[in-house]
Amino acid sequence: MEESVCVDLSGTLHIQDVAIPGAKEALKKLLLLANDERLKIRYVTNTTKENTNDLLTQLRTLGFTGITEQQLFSSPVATRRYLEANNLRPLLLVDPKLKTDFEGLRQEDPNCVVVGLAPSQMHYERLNEAFRLLMSGAVLVAMHKAKYYARQDGLALGPGAFVAALEFASGVSSKVIGKPSKEFFNTAITDMNVLPDRCFMIGDDIEQDYRGAKQAGMIPILVRTGKYRPADEQPDADGLCPTVVDNFAAAVEYIIEHINRQ
């Protein structure tokens, strides 16, 4: 059976507008295997700072060619599908650039609150508006609950803290759409028509990428870039240490060696 790999973006291939050294060349190696039908690739991201078009443009500008919209599985796109399937009208606490991904959705008289990474939205009045909706019975939808993410100037607070604040104040538990949701990973796996245990996951987040993929039955690889912390290499609850490599290029070599042994 054909092997497959899911690749995280921010912190794994790039940090903001800077490609991680060796990542472009390593991705080309994976794409060559995909062209030879020895490997299937999907890109799974919790990025909620850019809409789909802007994200693809950014990746191509950085030199990551060959990534198509059909291969991209993002938490914003998955969130829109969830809202449509459940007839939800969102109050969007998202970056203004992301709102184009939600055009055409009914948003008047909202019956849910959607939270992404949105620094300009996370002030008292806006959060209080969301809180009042939740207290009136609205659904709380988290694109993801990452604690932090990597920027060029260091780690930065993610949306998880604001989701947790709304949960604490309202008593409403959130529906998490993106990683580490097993359902989110399964969407990409199903799209490739592969078994989870034949699918690698490369990422920099021990919770969202590594443990999420592990719980989905995948083969996770953690990279020492992006939001990686040395403490991430401690044994998991099952007593096993994570599989950790220096960067995306090293993860690709690890996968290629595995394929060549088959």
Side-chain angles (χ1 to χ4, degrees), residues 49 93-96 116-123 149 151 157 162:
K49 302 184 293 299
L93 271 62
V94 302
D95 190 285
L117 180 61
S120 66
Q121 299 287 303
M122 300 308 180
H123 55 81
Y149 68 102
R151 300 192 314 201
L157 195 63
F162 301 101

Side-chain angles (χ1 to χ4, degrees), residues 9-20 58-59 62 64:
L9 298 178
S10 179
T12 300
L13 294 184
H14 68 98
I15 297 176
Q16 293 183 298
D17 59 355
V18 177
I20 289 174
Q58 179 192 32
L59 291 168
L62 290 174
F64 295 108

Side-chain angles (χ1 to χ4, degrees), residues 5-7 31 34 39-45 56 65-74 188 191:
V5 59
C6 288
V7 179
L31 292 173
L39 183 75
K40 293 180 179 179
I41 307 174
R42 295 297 182 268
Y43 305 90
V44 291
T45 177
L56 286 169
T65 56
I67 299 176
T68 68
E69 184 173 349
Q70 292 70 32
Q71 294 173 314
L72 184 63
F73 287 77
S74 70
D191 186 68

Side-chain angles (χ1 to χ4, degrees), residues 78-88 139 141 175 177:
T79 298
R80 179 180 181 123
R81 290 173 181 160
Y82 179 79
L83 298 179
E84 291 174 331
N86 291 276
N87 297 313
L88 294 174
V139 175
V141 178
K175 167 66 176 178
I177 302 297

Side-chain angles (χ1 to χ4, degrees), residues 11-223:
T12 300
L13 294 184
H14 68 98
I15 297 176
Q16 293 183 298
D17 59 355
V18 177
I20 289 174
K24 288 183 285 188
E25 296 77 11
L27 184 59
K28 289 177 181 177
K29 292 182 180 181
L30 285 185
L31 292 173
L32 284 174
L33 289 173
N35 291 337
D36 291 340
E37 298 185 349
R38 299 177 63 195
L39 183 75
K40 293 180 179 179
I41 307 174
R42 295 297 182 268
Y43 305 90
V44 291
T45 177
N46 276 346
T47 294
T48 60
K49 302 184 293 299
E50 298 91 12
N51 60 53
T52 300
N53 287 335
D54 287 349
L55 177 57
L56 286 169
T57 298
Q58 179 192 32
L59 291 168
R60 289 163 184 163
T61 300
L62 290 174
F64 295 108
T65 56
I67 299 176
T68 68
E69 184 173 349
Q70 292 70 32
Q71 294 173 314
L72 184 63
F73 287 77
S74 70
S75 54
V77 171
T79 298
R80 179 180 181 123
R81 290 173 181 160
Y82 179 79
L83 298 179
E84 291 174 331
N86 291 276
N87 297 313
L88 294 174
R89 305 179 301 277
L91 171 70
L92 294 171
L93 271 62
V94 302
D95 190 285
K97 297 191 296 292
L98 195 65
K99 290 189 176 181
T100 57
D101 279 354
F102 294 90
E103 288 178 351
L105 276 181
R106 286 188 59 199
Q107 297 181 33
E108 67 275 10
D109 187 26
N111 59 359
C112 78
V113 175
V114 174
V115 182
L117 180 61
S120 66
Q121 299 287 303
M122 300 308 180
H123 55 81
Y124 182 84
E125 291 303 327
R126 191 65 165 159
L127 288 169
N128 200 45
E129 181 183 4
F131 163 71
R132 288 175 174 175
L133 274 176
L134 295 173
M135 293 299 287
S136 298
V139 175
L140 179 57
V141 178
M143 291 190 185
H144 63 93
K145 290 180 72 174
K147 298 175 183 178
Y148 48 82
Y149 68 102
R151 300 192 314 201
Q152 285 295 307
D153 61 353
L155 296 180
L157 195 63
F162 301 101
V163 175
L166 289 171
E167 288 179 322
F168 173 76
S170 68
V172 176
S173 297
S174 62
K175 167 66 176 178
V176 180
I177 302 297
K179 298 178 291 184
S181 163
K182 184 177 181 179
E183 181 180 353
F184 183 73
F185 282 114
N186 282 343
T187 302
I189 292 169
T190 300
D191 186 68
M192 291 187 283
N193 192 28
V194 297
L195 296 173
D197 62 2
R198 303 293 294 244
C199 185
F200 291 90
M201 172 66 209
I202 307 173
D204 68 314
D205 188 314
I206 187 66
E207 294 291 343
Q208 314 290 317
D209 296 321
Y210 193 93
R211 293 189 179 123
K214 185 176 180 178
Q215 290 173 0
M218 302 166 70
I219 309 168
I221 303 173
L222 184 70
V223 293

Side-chain angles (χ1 to χ4, degrees), residues 213-261:
K214 185 176 180 178
Q215 290 173 0
M218 302 166 70
I219 309 168
I221 303 173
L222 184 70
V223 293
R224 297 188 182 101
T225 57
K227 65 175 67 174
Y228 161 84
R229 304 282 94 187
D232 295 342
E233 299 195 36
Q234 296 298 315
D236 267 341
D238 57 10
L240 300 176
C241 292
T243 300
V244 188
V245 297
D246 283 340
N247 50 34
F248 180 70
V252 168
E253 293 303 320
Y254 181 97
I255 292 171
I256 290 174
E257 289 178 11
H258 172 85
I259 292 174
N260 288 337
R261 288 197 300 266

